[in-house]
Amino acid sequence: MDGNGRWAKERGLKRIDGHKKGAERISDVLEGAMECGIKYITLYAFSSENWNRPKTEVDALMKLLAGAVEKYGSKLIQNKVRFLTIGDLSALPPKTRQKIEALKQSTKDFSALTLVMALNYGSRDEMARAVSSIAQDAIDGRINPKSISWETISQKLDTAGVPDPDFLIRTSGEMRLSNYLMMQAAYAELYFTRTYWPDFTKEEFIRAIDEYKMRERRYGLTADQIRNK
Ligand code: IPE
Ligand code: MG
């Protein structure tokens, strides 16, 4: 969800106004996802590097996050959306964390759609935590280092139990992954649009999904192999 700051600047507004407008767009993509029959959607809301932004912006984002969990929580329950997070929540303000945990708990049995929020998330941080946990398992004799496979690692990532993304959208014209789902997106189809996140409507989301449907996914095979399957 990129481009909130530039969206605001172009309108002579404050960066936080862009973040507020951006938060409103979340319901658009959730509606779009439900209409398209998508089962999992992950939103990169706050990265492990975003803490380095000016304190006023970080504080405002934290406040917005707490408010959004409160505001959209009942909407998620109404629509039977399961709420999950990835990232290290231990660094979030305790009250926000409590609200997040409560929402996870009250939506845990829903399966219509799963919304995963990446909060204080970064692939490198996630990998470091996973490796640390695997190393501890090895020391404690729960795992044989020779038997470690991608499966072992993926079960230790924050995304354990969540399927790998098929499609990755980045708004605002930036063409990079910025430490987002680096391993999980190994075979994801990438989609970049110049549209700033606050302008990314449900219609545009559905257009992106329509483009995804045209892509041929080969997973290292040849086009002939895929077509003759
Ligand atoms: C993305 O918008 C939202 C967050 C990282 C929270 P930006 O804040 O990165 O917007 P730009 O890139 O400055 O336009
Ligand atoms: Mg940005």
Side-chain angles (χ1 to χ4, degrees):
M1 301 188 285
D2 201 6
N4 294 349
R6 281 162 284 166
W7 181 91
K9 199 174 174 209
E10 282 182 12
R11 285 161 181 77
L13 302 169
K14 296 199 198 78
R15 289 181 59 84
I16 189 62
D17 296 319
H19 294 313
K20 281 183 189 153
K21 192 76 193 167
E24 290 172 18
R25 279 290 169 235
I26 293 177
S27 42
D28 274 63
V29 294
L30 289 182
E31 275 176 34
M34 284 190 264
E35 280 178 28
C36 296
I38 289 166
K39 303 296 272 180
Y40 290 85
I41 184 159
T42 305
L43 299 173
Y44 203 3
F46 193 86
S47 80
S48 44
E49 287 72 34
N50 285 150
W51 296 109
N52 299 324
R53 291 190 175 193
K55 188 177 182 303
T56 47
E57 181 164 343
V58 171
D59 289 349
L61 279 169
M62 286 299 139
K63 215 173 137 195
L64 188 62
L65 171 65
V69 174
E70 195 120 306
K71 197 167 149 202
Y72 295 113
S74 52
K75 249 186 155 177
L76 295 185
I77 294 168
Q78 263 170 31
N79 288 291
K80 300 207 180 318
V81 176
R82 178 166 67 134
F83 180 72
L84 298 178
T85 61
I86 55 172
D88 183 4
L89 296 190
S90 69
L92 296 184
K95 273 194 187 145
T96 308
R97 202 176 155 187
Q98 278 162 19
K99 282 182 194 152
I100 289 169
E101 295 299 349
L103 186 57
K104 280 189 197 170
Q105 186 59 27
S106 47
T107 62
K108 70 176 173 33
D109 295 322
F110 295 148
S111 57
L113 172 68
T114 298
L115 166 64
V116 186
M117 276 284 209
L119 297 169
N120 187 23
Y121 176 84
S123 289
R124 289 179 174 182
D125 177 64
E126 174 190 45
M127 187 56 79
R129 287 184 285 108
V131 169
S132 164
S133 171
I134 293 170
Q136 193 60 56
D137 284 352
I139 288 169
D140 296 343
R142 283 191 293 272
I143 194 171
N144 174 356
K146 289 208 167 63
S147 74
I148 295 171
S149 62
W150 165 244
E151 202 47 44
T152 319
I153 298 166
S154 79
Q155 282 165 13
K156 289 285 188 181
L157 297 177
D158 297 345
T159 48
V162 174
D164 285 344
D166 293 306
F167 193 46
L168 194 154
I169 300 173
R170 183 171 187 152
T171 56
S172 89
E174 307 297 356
M175 294 207 246
R176 49 179 176 264
L177 293 178
S178 301
N179 207 9
Y180 186 54
L181 299 177
M182 296 301 290
M183 295 303 289
Q184 297 90 333
Y187 286 100
E189 293 294 323
L190 308 182
Y191 181 92
F192 298 100
T193 170
R194 281 190 185 283
T195 306
Y196 294 144
W197 174 255
D199 287 330
F200 194 70
T201 57
K202 181 168 105 180
E203 289 65 35
E204 195 164 343
F205 176 77
I206 291 173
R207 265 206 302 282
I209 299 301
D210 284 342
E211 187 185 311
Y212 168 77
K213 291 178 190 161
M214 310 289 286
R215 305 267 182 103
E216 181 179 68
R217 306 185 69 194
R218 291 200 284 270
Y219 303 96
L221 303 182
T222 67
D224 283 347
Q225 280 178 301
I226 295 294
R227 283 166 204 164
N228 297 330
K229 243 187 190 170

